[in-house]
Amino acid sequence: SLQRFGDMDPNCPEATKNMVMHAVLKLDSATIMLSDGGPGEKPAGAGATSVALQLDDADAARRSFDILAASGKVVQPMISAPWGALYGAVHDRFGVSWMFNCTASASK
């Protein structure tokens, strides 16, 4: 879900109307909440946000990676990494950098 400051207060300053007040991402049983910050705070530029996910289900890691890669840019395809994990990195269409590390068997 996504809620912008202007959705809650149409009289908020023009510069903050389109800033994200609350965003909720659901990934299986995990919930990630995001915000551009409060009114008056300068939002980060595109590419300034990185999310590293540690997963224990190789299939879920691949599915999540593929969903973001479909409309984004693959930085590192999913590989069996030298440290024994399944690893991949992608920038989503909004400029957020996602790193997936899965310690479950990469051969799943």
Side-chain angles (χ1 to χ4, degrees):
S1 67
L2 175 69
Q3 184 177 47
R4 300 184 186 279
F5 283 97
D7 297 337
M8 291 302 297
D9 180 8
N11 298 317
C12 72
E14 195 63 37
T16 60
K17 280 190 178 182
N18 288 316
M19 289 176 62
V20 175
M21 180 182 227
H22 300 287
V24 178
L25 303 173
K26 298 247 182 207
L27 179 64
D28 293 325
S29 63
T31 299
I32 303 169
M33 299 188 74
L34 307 163
S35 174
D36 280 329
E41 293 180 29
K42 184 178 179 185
T49 302
S50 295
V51 178
L53 298 175
Q54 177 64 43
L55 301 153
D56 60 4
D57 181 327
D59 291 335
R62 285 188 183 97
R63 261 192 325 273
S64 300
F65 179 90
D66 290 344
I67 288 168
L68 292 174
S71 61
K73 178 183 175 192
V74 173
V75 175
Q76 170 61 61
M78 296 294 274
I79 61 166
S80 293
W83 55 90
L86 179 65
Y87 175 80
V90 63
H91 289 163
D92 72 16
R93 64 184 175 153
F94 302 107
V96 176
S97 174
W98 294 83
M99 294 173 284
F100 293 84
N101 193 71
C102 181
T103 53
S105 173
S107 63
K108 269 182 142 186

